[in-house]
Amino acid sequence: MIAVLSLTVSCVLLGLSVLHVYWMLGGRWGIEAVIPVRGNKRLFTPGKIGTLGVAAMLAFAAAIIMGIGGLTEPLLPGWVYQWGGWVIFGVFLLRAIGEFRWVGFFKTEKGTLFARWDTRVFSPLCFLLAAAVLTVLII
């Protein structure tokens, strides 16, 4: 079961990584729904280097989860996988909780396209990823 869960989480993370590479290369699909806005103005505009950095971190997270789940031979010391797994868990849990205004389950700004997608997809996905990573870590 852990191998299947690790593979599922890794595939989701790799898919998100590919999506970020697509955006870095100029793709527009979905871009309007993934950035919080105030009125009609984005709160931030991600640059190409930052977007590529997120893609790389997602791919690295997928590799860490595959290693923890025993899907790959370890290329790094064991502590990197354990600490990395806990960091990945923490990042996704904190993202799901949010910062209480723009993102996460406890956001106060609602009614925008991003807020609707965040409530229905992004925050639940982050929570499920955190729960799955925790499961892989402790079982």
Side-chain angles (χ1 to χ4, degrees):
M1 169 173 155
I2 292 303
V4 172
L5 189 57
S6 297
L7 182 62
T8 302
V9 170
S10 297
C11 286
V12 169
L13 294 174
L14 287 173
L16 293 172
S17 177
V18 167
L19 186 58
H20 280 78
V21 170
Y22 164 78
W23 287 329
M24 189 264 318
L25 293 173
R28 304 292 305 155
W29 178 82
I31 199 78
E32 294 303 319
V34 297
I35 300 172
V37 295
R38 179 185 300 142
N40 289 332
K41 186 175 180 193
R42 291 179 177 182
L43 292 181
F44 64 93
T45 301
K48 290 186 182 227
I49 292 173
T51 304
L52 183 60
V54 171
M57 287 187 284
L58 288 165
F60 185 66
I64 294 291
I65 298 303
M66 284 190 273
I68 294 169
L71 300 174
T72 61
E73 290 295 320
L75 300 174
L76 302 168
W79 65 268
V80 173
Y81 292 97
Q82 284 302 305
W83 279 96
W86 286 106
V87 168
I88 294 164
F89 162 72
V91 166
F92 281 111
L93 182 62
L94 289 174
R95 169 55 185 86
I97 293 168
E99 43 61 86
F100 303 104
R101 179 152 187 206
W102 300 102
V103 300
F105 286 125
F106 303 104
K107 67 183 159 296
T108 57
E109 297 292 331
K110 301 180 189 229
T112 65
L113 179 62
F114 170 82
R116 286 190 298 275
W117 276 90
D118 186 56
T119 298
R120 295 176 186 160
V121 178
F122 308 148
S123 291
L125 176 62
C126 288
F127 182 77
L128 288 173
L129 286 170
V133 170
L134 180 62
T135 302
V136 170
L137 283 167
I138 63 175
I139 291 183

